C-alpha cells in the first residue's frame, strides 16, 4: 500500500517505510527530528521542473505529465519502492502545502500503476538488477 503524508505530521507506526521524496529538505525540520527511513532526492522532480511548476495549480497537469516522463527514465530508483509497497505500507513524505497537487501524489499514482503491471521476467525469477 502506498500513502502520501505531509512531512510535518507526526510519524505513526502504521506509516510503515517512510520516504522523503522532495529534492529540498523541508523548512523548519531538523534532520535529527524527522522520522524517516530514506530520503530519495533523485526521485523528486528536477530543479527545472520544480521551479517551472512553482506549486501553481494551473500548471499541475503539465507538471504531472513532465514528472511522469522523468520517472519513466529512473526505474532503478523507484523499483525498490515497489517491493516495499508489495510487502507493507510505503509512506511518501512531502512538504508541499497542497495535499492533492504535489509531486508525492504523482509519484504514488505512478507507483500504483507500476504495481498493477506484471513483474519483469528477470525479477519474477528472483534475479536482482
Amino acid at each position: 500500500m502506498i500513502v502520501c503524508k505531509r512531512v510535518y505530521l507526526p510519524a505513526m507506526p502504521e506509516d510503515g517505510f517512510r520516504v522523503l521524496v522532495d529534492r529540498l529538505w523541508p523548512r523548519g525540520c531538523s534532520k535529527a527530528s524527522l522520522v524517516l527511513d530514506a530520503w530519495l532526492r533523485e526521485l523528486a522532480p528536477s530543479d527545472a521542473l520544480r521551479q517551472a511548476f512553482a506549486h501553481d495549480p494551473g500548471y499541475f497537469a503539465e507538471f504531472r505529465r513532465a514528472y511522469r516522463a522523468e520517472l519513466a527514465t529512473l526505474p532503478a530508483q523507484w523499483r525498490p519502492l515497489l517491493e516495499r509497497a508489495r510487502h507493507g505500507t510505503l509512506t511518501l513524505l512531502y512538504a508541499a502545502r497542497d495535499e492533492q497537487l504535489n509531486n508525492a501524489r504523482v509519484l504514488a499514482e505512478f507507483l500504483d500503476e507500476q504495481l498493477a503491471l506484471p513483474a519483469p521476467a528477470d525479477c519474477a525469477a528472483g534475479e536482482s538488477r
Side-chain angles (χ1 to χ4, degrees):
M1 176 170 65
I2 301 171
V3 296
C4 297
K5 185 173 184 177
R6 283 197 81 215
V7 73
Y8 304 105
L9 296 174
M12 304 297 283
E14 58 269 17
D15 288 347
F17 193 78
R18 293 169 49 93
V19 180
L20 178 60
V21 294
D22 285 348
R23 189 163 298 272
L24 303 175
W25 190 261
R27 290 181 184 177
C29 288
S30 72
K31 291 187 180 179
S33 69
L34 186 57
V35 178
L36 56 85
D37 297 297
W39 179 18
L40 300 180
R41 296 173 61 178
E42 61 277 2
L43 274 179
S46 65
D47 285 333
L49 183 54
R50 181 179 54 80
Q51 290 167 1
F53 172 43
H55 299 285
D56 183 333
Y59 294 118
F60 186 74
E62 176 56 24
F63 167 78
R64 181 180 171 275
R65 186 205 59 74
Y67 182 36
R68 290 174 61 89
E70 286 183 356
L71 289 169
T73 68
L74 301 169
Q77 305 300 323
W78 50 258
R79 277 194 182 128
L81 295 179
L82 295 181
E83 287 309 306
R84 294 281 183 179
R86 282 188 180 103
H87 301 291
T89 302
L90 170 66
T91 298
L92 304 178
L93 301 171
Y94 64 93
R97 287 186 183 139
D98 191 319
E99 295 184 10
Q100 299 304 314
L101 305 180
N102 62 64
N103 63 297
R105 296 283 178 192
V106 176
L107 177 57
E109 172 188 82
F110 181 87
L111 292 174
D112 278 334
E113 290 170 6
Q114 296 303 313
L115 283 170
L117 298 174
D122 59 344
C123 291
E127 295 179 22
S128 63
R129 290 186 170 216

